Amino acid sequence: MKSGNPLLLLIEDDPQFQMLLNTTLQSQGFYVLAVGTGQAGLIAVRNQQPSLLILDLGLPDMDGQEVISRLRKWSEIPIIVLSARDQETDITLALDHGADDYLTKPFSPAVLISRIKALLRRVAKLPGGALEVFQVGELKVELTRRRVFVSIKEISLTPIEFNLLSELVRHAGFVVTHRQLLEKVWGASHVEHSHYLRIYMAQLRHKLESDPARPRYLLTEAGVGYRLNEAEN
Amino acid sequence: MKSGNPLLLLIEDDPQFQMLLNTTLQSQGFYVLAVGTGQAGLIAVRNQQPSLLILDLGLPDMDGQEVISRLRKWSEIPIIVLSARDQETDITLALDHGADDYLTKPFSPAVLISRIKALLRRVAKLPGGALEVFQVGELKVELTRRRVFVSIKEISLTPIEFNLLSELVRHAGFVVTHRQLLEKVWGASHVEHSHYLRIYMAQLRHKLESDPARPRYLLTEAGVGYRLNEAEN
DNA sequence: TTTTAGTATCAAGATTTCGTAAGGATAAGA
DNA sequence: TCTTATCCTTACGAAATCTTGATACTAAAA
């Protein structure tokens, strides 16, 4: 299940408090997965790969600090800790073990929300998340780096060539109409110049295809537009 | 002192408190740059490119919230806010404007240290993060010490040259657009002067490349921007 | 087969973008 | 004051890129 909204994992043993948080978070558009033990939490992080973890330190089955330490051996998931304990040593211990934030109970739900968003915003630029890579056969397109490879050889594309290819990559497997391509690459005032497309598609094929006359990736959909083949054949 | 230590910028108008924090932070091995006004802070972020900002909200010359908003238009520097105000709205406002963390006075120095480290740790994993030393081939760049080497020979760069190179280092492997570079190095009012880039890129190449006409590190992405090559070839 | 609409290719000229050099302005330090 | 370093400005040739027009190809319809 892929969707725009982030999935938050909540590890909290008090059912009432769990329910309360659940409602608050969902009202902000987050998906929430709630578990009651550290064990279940560790498993959920591995299996569900949530975007962020909200961890109550007081757990029945294991020490909250230990949950953090164990997680950090193999995961970089953002962690916000909740705790009734406000001693300096508790806070520094949790943070030093690898937590990202620490809130003492009682806390304002609005502040929790803002802190979650702040952390997600910070983490949104992680390499894994930001690096959009499309690959089919020999062809590899790294959108965020603006780099294109055929097998391991890097291909240099001009801005128009790259923007055109991007638009096809973003809709890989689907036809993109002439109008759509022209509008994205040249702007709304050039939607009539479908001639440009032929020129640049030819150039792209020349650079990316082994046999430009019989393209494997950049396919023509006569009368409609072009399509980037996403399946090997 | 260890070379890779991060530079922290402290914006705090109370001299006594500034002194106190300064001592605390330095005792932890951080380099500290302290200023007393929002204006000076904004300039320092641009010119010194610190790894993290500690911002007291109560400033004499401008609203602390505005400092955050203005910074976030062109900088992703991690921000920890200090404030005597503990109202929910103050906190959420600061975070929603783009701060990463918020501490209410009085706070424990140990907690501040742990929170700084937590944030730096998080940010170190991002592209454009607080990676301290960048190296590829013969070229080595130490961001916080502001030193650059080609093989073992140290190269002297002017402030603009260094800031330009920093910006490329922070996004090593990614294209950085003309606009982005101009905004970071010269400020938002100079985004049109793309010829500055050509001049200074030429100077950088002259200083850093063995064959400036055929650059190995400082690559041009025609029509888009420049890219620092992150892989040897 | 001929026609036709849509597509592909080629190459030259126009335009934009880049690299380089040289000189003037400014400010800091000797 | 003179020197030095840095930054900005101007100018121009070179390179890359885009646009344009002419021409050839292909497949489906008449």
Side-chain angles (χ1 to χ4, degrees):
Chain A
M1 79 138 214
K2 169 84 176 173
S3 161
N5 293 7
L7 171 67
L8 311 185
L9 174 62
L10 173 60
I11 310 185
E12 167 65 62
D13 66 314
D14 176 354
Q16 210 168 349
F17 195 57
Q18 188 185 101
M19 183 83 82
L20 180 70
L21 277 177
N22 209 320
T23 317
T24 310
L25 296 172
Q26 285 183 355
S27 77
Q28 293 293 315
F30 296 115
Y31 292 91
V32 180
L33 174 65
V35 300
T37 64
Q39 272 303 336
L42 291 171
I43 293 167
V45 170
R46 191 181 297 284
N47 292 341
Q48 311 294 324
Q49 311 224 354
S51 305
L52 184 143
L53 167 62
I54 301 168
L55 170 68
D56 192 317
L57 276 195
L59 294 175
D61 62 330
M62 58 194 288
D63 182 21
Q65 304 281 4
E66 200 195 323
V67 175
I68 302 174
S69 309
R70 287 178 55 177
L71 266 177
R72 277 292 175 262
K73 290 194 178 133
W74 51 270
S75 170
E76 289 178 1
I77 183 174
I79 303 177
I80 297 181
V81 167
L82 309 179
S83 169
R85 305 177 56 111
D86 63 348
Q87 292 300 300
E88 177 181 311
T89 49
D90 295 307
I91 302 178
T92 56
L93 196 62
L95 293 173
D96 293 347
H97 278 168
D100 291 284
D101 204 344
Y102 189 109
L103 268 78
T104 19
K105 299 184 197 174
F107 55 83
S108 140
V111 170
L112 175 62
I113 299 291
S114 285
R115 285 187 177 272
I116 290 171
K117 287 182 180 166
L119 189 48
L120 287 177
R121 191 173 57 223
R122 178 55 72 190
V123 144
K125 288 135 196 162
L126 271 173
L131 200 83
E132 305 173 69
V133 181
F134 170 88
Q135 179 148 20
V136 54
E138 305 275 80
L139 177 65
K140 186 166 95 174
V141 182
E142 299 187 12
L143 286 179
T144 49
R145 292 185 195 234
R146 294 187 76 91
R147 298 175 79 175
V148 178
F149 301 83
V150 170
S151 71
I152 58 160
K153 181 152 161 276
E154 178 162 8
I155 308 294
S156 153
L157 298 185
T158 73
I160 288 194
E161 286 166 2
F162 184 86
N163 291 341
L164 186 55
L165 180 59
S166 296
E167 202 51 29
L168 292 169
V169 165
R170 284 180 223 283
H171 302 90
F174 296 87
V175 183
V176 190
T177 64
H178 294 143
R179 166 171 278 272
Q180 214 170 330
L181 290 169
L182 287 162
E183 199 165 325
K184 280 279 181 178
V185 180
W186 281 270
S189 53
H190 293 72
V191 285
E192 307 299 322
H193 300 74
S194 54
H195 182 63
Y196 292 0
L197 284 178
R198 299 198 197 99
I199 304 284
Y200 282 94
M201 287 303 296
Q203 288 183 13
L204 275 177
R205 282 173 176 152
H206 189 73
K207 287 186 175 182
L208 303 179
E209 301 275 3
S210 49
D211 182 0
R214 251 170 292 286
R216 285 196 300 158
Y217 309 119
L218 300 163
L219 308 182
T220 301
E221 298 282 345
V224 188
Y226 294 88
R227 177 168 60 90
L228 182 62
N229 197 356
E230 66 168 349
E232 191 58 292
N233 47 2
Chain B
M1 182 176 301
K2 221 180 98 190
S3 72
N5 290 6
L7 170 68
L8 310 186
L9 173 63
L10 173 61
I11 309 184
E12 166 65 64
D13 65 314
D14 177 355
Q16 209 168 350
F17 196 56
Q18 187 185 100
M19 182 83 82
L20 180 70
L21 277 177
N22 208 321
T23 317
T24 311
L25 296 172
Q26 285 183 356
S27 76
Q28 292 293 313
F30 295 113
Y31 293 92
V32 180
L33 173 67
V35 299
T37 65
Q39 273 301 336
L42 290 172
I43 293 169
V45 170
R46 187 184 300 290
N47 292 342
Q48 312 296 322
Q49 313 227 358
S51 304
L52 185 142
L53 167 63
I54 302 168
L55 170 69
D56 192 318
L57 274 198
L59 294 174
D61 62 329
M62 57 194 290
D63 181 22
Q65 304 282 4
E66 200 195 323
V67 176
I68 301 174
S69 312
R70 287 178 57 176
L71 267 176
R72 276 292 173 263
K73 290 194 180 135
W74 52 270
S75 171
E76 289 176 3
I77 184 176
I79 302 178
I80 297 182
V81 167
L82 310 179
S83 168
R85 305 178 56 114
D86 64 346
Q87 292 301 300
E88 176 182 313
T89 50
D90 294 308
I91 303 178
T92 56
L93 197 60
L95 293 172
D96 293 347
H97 278 168
D100 291 286
D101 204 344
Y102 190 109
L103 268 79
T104 20
K105 301 182 191 174
F107 55 83
S108 139
V111 170
L112 175 61
I113 300 289
S114 285
R115 285 188 178 272
I116 290 171
K117 287 182 180 165
L119 189 47
L120 287 176
R121 188 174 60 224
R122 176 56 68 190
V123 143
K125 287 153 189 151
L126 312 180
L131 179 76
E132 295 301 334
V133 179
F134 169 87
Q135 180 148 20
V136 56
E138 306 275 79
L139 177 66
K140 186 165 96 173
V141 182
E142 299 184 15
L143 284 181
T144 55
R145 284 210 299 179
R146 300 181 73 85
R147 301 177 77 176
V148 179
F149 301 84
V150 170
S151 71
I152 57 160
K153 180 153 159 274
E154 177 160 9
I155 308 294
S156 153
L157 297 185
T158 73
I160 287 198
E161 285 167 4
F162 185 86
N163 289 342
L164 187 54
L165 180 59
S166 302
E167 201 51 29
L168 293 169
V169 165
R170 285 172 213 278
H171 300 89
F174 292 79
V175 180
V176 191
T177 64
H178 296 142
R179 166 170 282 270
Q180 220 170 328
L181 291 168
L182 287 163
E183 198 164 322
K184 283 274 183 166
V185 180
W186 280 272
S189 53
H190 294 72
V191 286
E192 308 296 324
H193 302 166
S194 58
H195 61 280
Y196 289 5
L197 287 177
R198 283 183 248 129
I199 307 283
Y200 283 92
M201 287 302 297
Q203 288 182 13
L204 275 177
R205 281 173 176 154
H206 188 73
K207 288 185 176 183
L208 303 180
E209 300 275 2
S210 48
D211 181 0
R214 255 173 286 294
R216 283 197 301 159
Y217 309 121
L218 301 164
L219 309 182
T220 300
E221 299 282 343
V224 186
Y226 293 87
R227 177 166 59 89
L228 181 61
N229 200 353
E230 60 169 350
E232 192 57 292
N233 46 3

